[in-house]
Amino acid sequence: MYALAIIRYRRPFEEIAPHVDEHRAYLRELKAAGVLLASGPFDPRTGGGLLLRLPDTEGPAALDRIRDGDPFTKRALAQYELLPWNPVIGKDDLDRW
């Protein structure tokens, strides 16, 4: 299962900035586990996006765990919009990744 996560800051970036390193450390853990394929901030810095890959058997509960484990969520600094995604064009390339 693939998913897109849209992260939107709930506070001004000045309040977010001190927590970016902790958030990115969490994302590096997801990357090392093979769950996160890519991530990055939006321009301007109003939030960011994640491209996720999870086993089909895990379903939406796995997405909730990813959201709830993020330090941004724990500190009420950002909200997630989680969108299960069914890529068609380029899916073979993603599956090899």
Side-chain angles (χ1 to χ4, degrees):
M1 172 176 100
Y2 290 94
L4 302 171
I6 308 298
I7 301 171
R8 292 186 177 91
Y9 300 147
R10 299 176 72 191
R11 305 269 188 256
F13 185 71
E14 297 75 35
E15 293 179 38
I16 302 291
H19 306 283
V20 168
D21 288 344
E22 183 182 16
H23 165 73
R24 288 186 177 167
Y26 173 70
L27 296 181
R28 282 192 291 277
E29 291 173 12
L30 295 177
K31 179 81 170 115
V35 172
L36 176 66
L37 298 179
S39 68
F42 295 141
D43 185 12
R45 293 292 289 269
T46 58
L50 312 176
L51 174 56
L52 304 164
R53 177 177 51 205
L54 300 122
D56 291 336
T57 57
E58 292 195 24
L63 294 175
D64 292 342
R65 283 192 303 275
I66 289 168
R67 176 199 61 220
D68 295 345
D70 189 329
F72 281 176
T73 301
K74 291 178 179 181
R75 296 179 184 278
L77 295 172
Q79 67 184 42
Y80 269 68
E81 181 178 359
L82 297 166
L83 304 166
W85 183 46
N86 185 23
V88 177
I89 297 171
K91 183 176 184 309
D92 293 338
D93 294 328
L94 289 172
D95 289 345
R96 281 194 298 267
W97 206 359

